[in-house]
Amino acid sequence: MKIKSLIVLTLCMAMLCLAGCSMKAPEKVSTDDSPLKVIASFYPMADFADKIGGDNIAVQCLVSLGMEAHDWEPTTADIALLEEADLFIINGAGMEPWATDLLQTLSNKNLVVVNTSEGLDLLENDESHDGHDHGDQDPHVWLNPLYAKQQMSMIMEALKELDATNSKTYQDNYEKWANKCEELDQNYRETLSPLNHKDILVSHQAFGYLCNAYGLNQIAIEGLSPEGEPNPARMAEIIDFMNKHQTKVIFYEENTSSKVAEAIARDTGAKTMVLNPLESLSQEQLDAGEDYFSIMTANLKGLQEALSD
Amino acid sequence: MTLMSLFQYDFMRRAFIVAIALGIVVPCIGVIVVLKRLSMIGDALAHTSLAGVAGGLLVNINPVLGAGITCIGAAFTIEWIRKKLPQYAEMSTAIVLSAGVGLAGVLSGFIQNATSFNAFLFGSIVAISNAELIAVVAIALLVLILFFLMYQELFYIALDERSATLSGVPINTVNFIFTLLTAVTVAIAARTVGALIVSSMMVLPVACSLQIAKSYRQTVWFSVLFGLSFTLIGLTISFYAALRPGGAIVLTGVCCLLLVFNLKKMVCR
């Protein structure tokens, strides 16, 4: 008798649980005034979403400030955020390898996912650089301003569909920032095309799309990450290359000062400068009002200095 | 690549200066350390200094200074535990090693900017800054001078502290100076060239030397000779074979030790 009642009890509880679960996902009430909850995977996506959505949406960025976007893994708190969200914006092209698995585990059936690199002409990944492997494609599309414009357009379309009442605002915002992207592209073109040197030395091979768009050539210094020990033959090779091509600048990422880059700089008399791949910004940079456009403009200044005679 | 291209680069010239300095000095300390049954002290101190780097970044003092302070603290803790447990001297290094790694793990959790921590964690003999070059050469000279001034005293202490006391050696003073020297050498060398080179250079040359030396004097001289050749050969091989220098230097030492074992067997036959 006891066993039977236990079984019945268990069954009842299981049913209750199931009922609870299915009730947890109610039909979305679209008439509420609260802003759309938008989650962006990392900084440029958050910045673009913020620019297009304005006050109508509340953007949260998963990869927090100052973190390395490539090594990031979601925590349970991030998953909870996504369960509550309306829209999830990713870059795609292998930048968020964790997203596929994560999305399958979510029970949020109303979540719309936008892959902003969809439809872009993606570059092959030359080599898996500095330990982290992106897969077959180079994900750093946002560093080409015209690709960034396309990504903004994808975000705008998604927002329009989710929130038709404000679609005019999204369209206006998009047009304003799309113009800025074109302006930026124009600036890059005009500044870089007359310069004689075309080779840039970078610590992180993130500038494929940028180089492709403006006829530059990136040479990645492997092992320039501060974690690993470099091998001297490779360092000698880089020094020879720099002397031969009269390269004056070694670009490294924000936050990653490297003893090896400095050693090479000492040998060649070159300078080390920052070329920001915009994967994440620090709190100080945000407080100073930096955004995609200001950093891209700063990058252009650095490139101009490095490549002019 | 010709032989001269080895010295054509500034970073290789620096690497060779550091290799010569550490190749001479670390085995000197190593002889005493091995005879005192504290072979792992290099590893223990190098890992403990990570806690100093993390602590230094947290309270905003120079991380290398933080590493030096914790290294000295750890070295004296090892001495203190060693005196408490004289039969199990090697246990003291294991205790301090685990305490240091634990502390470093906890402290590094509080550091916001992980990249700055990483930059201080690892050093490489082929990426030596001006300040590091001066520090290494200065510490090497200091250690050499003090080592040869206390040559006899150190020998007595390393072999048998009790009879050293009886023969009138001021063992507390000598132990104090030696512990300090060890700590400072490891702190600077580990930050500069990496913990791997330091801890292996303390033991491998001495191990080779002990196979062939017939006296204390010979042990010291052979250790220095072996240490110097390991760093120089390892560095040269790493340049021509495109290997990581730290690993190349250590493996040169290990191969040489195996060679010495076999040669000794053949000669003894």
Side-chain angles (χ1 to χ4, degrees):
Chain A
M1 263 332 258
K2 247 187 176 173
I3 292 173
K4 255 189 190 167
S5 55
L6 259 179
I7 292 173
V8 172
L9 199 70
T10 325
L11 277 175
C12 285
M13 282 175 66
M15 300 260 274
L16 268 175
C17 281
L18 281 175
C21 290
S22 56
M23 273 160 65
K24 249 189 182 167
E27 279 302 294
K28 218 173 75 83
V29 194
S30 51
T31 49
D32 58 8
D33 282 342
S34 66
L36 277 178
K37 287 187 190 132
V38 177
I39 308 292
S41 58
F42 68 112
Y43 178 73
M45 300 303 110
D47 189 34
F48 296 166
D50 208 35
K51 285 181 160 55
I52 308 294
D55 294 336
N56 296 321
I57 65 172
V59 185
Q60 256 181 309
C61 189
L62 287 184
V63 178
S64 49
L65 299 170
M67 296 272 288
E68 162 65 44
H70 288 293
D71 301 334
W72 189 83
E73 291 283 334
T75 65
T76 44
D78 299 318
I79 298 169
L81 267 180
L82 282 170
E83 291 287 3
E84 301 283 308
D86 300 306
L87 176 63
F88 181 35
I89 302 171
I90 60 171
N91 178 71
M95 190 66 194
E96 299 95 345
W98 40 267
T100 342
D101 288 343
L102 182 71
L103 289 173
Q104 278 168 1
T105 63
L106 289 182
S107 58
N108 183 350
K109 295 284 171 278
N110 297 311
L111 183 69
V112 177
V113 181
V114 193
N115 177 353
T116 54
S117 66
E118 215 171 68
L120 294 178
D121 204 0
L122 294 177
L123 291 175
E124 295 272 307
N125 212 359
D126 289 350
E127 52 194 283
S128 72
H129 48 278
D130 281 357
H132 58 252
D133 193 11
H134 294 308
D136 304 332
Q137 285 145 347
D138 183 350
H140 308 92
V141 287
W142 62 92
L143 291 167
N144 175 344
L146 294 182
Y147 279 19
K149 178 183 143 190
Q150 298 259 30
Q151 293 188 291
M152 288 180 184
S153 137
M154 297 284 289
I155 295 170
M156 171 194 68
E157 295 297 339
L159 286 174
K160 273 179 169 175
E161 226 162 89
L162 274 172
D163 179 18
T165 41
N166 290 314
S167 89
K168 173 91 173 61
T169 322
Y170 299 138
Q171 182 72 43
D172 291 349
N173 285 344
Y174 165 73
E175 267 155 29
K176 175 179 153 205
W177 292 108
N179 278 337
K180 289 259 185 192
C181 286
E182 274 161 23
E183 234 171 73
L184 187 68
D185 173 65
Q186 196 63 33
N187 264 341
Y188 264 75
R189 225 167 271 286
E190 281 166 7
T191 314
L192 295 177
S193 62
L195 301 178
N196 289 328
H197 301 281
K198 297 293 174 198
D199 297 316
I200 60 170
L201 225 70
V202 293
S203 69
H204 177 178
Q205 195 172 14
F207 301 92
Y209 293 95
L210 194 151
C211 289
N212 221 24
Y214 307 110
L216 304 181
N217 181 23
Q218 68 173 343
I219 293 115
I221 309 181
E222 271 173 284
L224 257 193
S225 63
E227 291 92 1
E229 204 181 10
N231 84 57
R234 175 76 179 147
M235 285 172 69
E237 207 180 295
I238 291 165
I239 290 167
D240 290 343
F241 176 90
M242 290 180 70
N243 286 334
K244 203 171 125 204
H245 291 78
Q246 291 167 339
T247 317
K248 292 186 299 180
V249 174
I250 302 170
F251 286 113
Y252 61 90
E253 266 177 274
E254 202 93 34
N255 303 333
T256 325
S257 79
S258 156
K259 279 176 155 183
V260 186
E262 280 156 29
I264 292 176
R266 257 195 312 273
D267 240 300
T268 54
K271 275 204 290 186
T272 57
M273 278 169 76
V274 170
L275 194 63
N276 192 334
L278 269 153
E279 283 171 2
S280 83
L281 294 194
S282 67
Q283 185 64 51
E284 294 92 70
Q285 286 172 317
L286 282 185
D287 290 345
E290 301 277 8
D291 71 341
Y292 174 81
F293 291 97
S294 70
I295 302 272
M296 285 297 280
T297 309
N299 281 349
L300 177 60
K301 275 213 184 93
L303 287 170
Q304 186 182 12
E305 189 178 338
L307 296 175
S308 52
D309 285 307
Chain B
M1 277 192 279
T2 58
L3 183 67
M4 275 328 284
S5 68
L6 194 60
F7 299 105
Q8 174 193 331
Y9 303 100
D10 186 44
F11 78 90
M12 283 308 283
R13 289 195 292 269
R14 284 162 190 261
F16 272 103
I17 295 173
V18 171
I20 291 169
L22 294 181
I24 294 172
V25 163
V26 179
C28 284
I29 292 180
V31 172
I32 310 299
V33 158
V34 167
L35 293 177
K36 278 172 102 175
R37 301 283 184 274
L38 292 173
S39 301
M40 292 299 288
I41 197 170
D43 233 4
L45 293 183
H47 281 92
T48 314
S49 70
L50 300 186
V53 171
L57 283 173
L58 277 181
V59 299
N60 253 337
I61 60 167
N62 186 330
V64 179
L65 190 68
I69 293 169
T70 37
C71 239
I72 292 170
F76 282 106
T77 313
I78 289 176
E79 266 300 293
W80 179 68
I81 299 175
R82 190 181 66 86
K83 279 185 188 138
K84 295 246 160 202
L85 305 160
Q87 295 95 329
Y88 305 102
E90 74 276 13
M91 225 162 76
S92 59
T93 52
I95 293 168
V96 168
L97 171 67
S98 36
V101 172
L103 192 61
V106 170
L107 286 179
S108 63
F110 294 107
I111 295 173
Q112 295 293 317
N113 188 352
T115 42
S116 66
F117 184 52
N118 284 344
F120 280 103
L121 268 189
F122 301 93
S124 169
I125 196 163
V126 288
I128 307 282
S129 72
N130 288 333
E132 285 170 339
L133 189 67
I134 293 167
V136 167
V137 173
I139 196 77
L141 287 175
L142 180 74
V143 171
L144 264 190
I145 292 168
L146 287 173
F147 185 81
F148 283 100
L149 284 178
M150 305 193 303
Y151 186 75
Q152 289 300 332
E153 287 84 351
L154 281 172
F155 171 61
Y156 282 129
I157 284 176
L159 278 186
D160 185 357
E161 289 200 351
R162 193 169 300 164
S163 50
T165 323
L166 290 176
S167 15
V169 176
I171 66 160
N172 285 334
T173 318
V174 176
N175 260 335
F176 179 85
I177 296 174
F178 181 73
T179 308
L180 202 64
L181 286 182
T182 313
V184 177
T185 309
V186 173
I188 290 178
R191 284 293 74 69
T192 312
V193 300
L196 182 67
I197 293 184
V198 183
S199 51
S200 63
M201 272 305 110
M202 280 209 169
V203 180
L204 281 171
V206 185
C208 291
S209 168
L210 284 173
Q211 298 303 311
I212 51 175
K214 295 197 168 57
S215 66
Y216 172 58
R217 180 178 292 273
Q218 279 189 14
T219 310
V220 173
W221 283 109
F222 279 128
S223 296
V224 170
L225 205 67
F226 277 118
L228 206 51
S229 42
F230 295 171
T231 49
L232 296 181
I233 294 172
L235 194 57
T236 311
I237 291 177
S238 79
F239 183 80
Y240 289 111
L243 302 172
R244 295 187 166 188
I249 289 173
V250 173
L251 290 181
T252 310
V254 174
C255 291
C256 182
L257 182 62
L258 293 176
L259 209 69
V260 169
F261 277 150
N262 281 318
L263 281 177
K264 200 185 169 194
K265 217 158 81 188
M266 275 156 61
V267 169
C268 285
R269 253 183 222 166

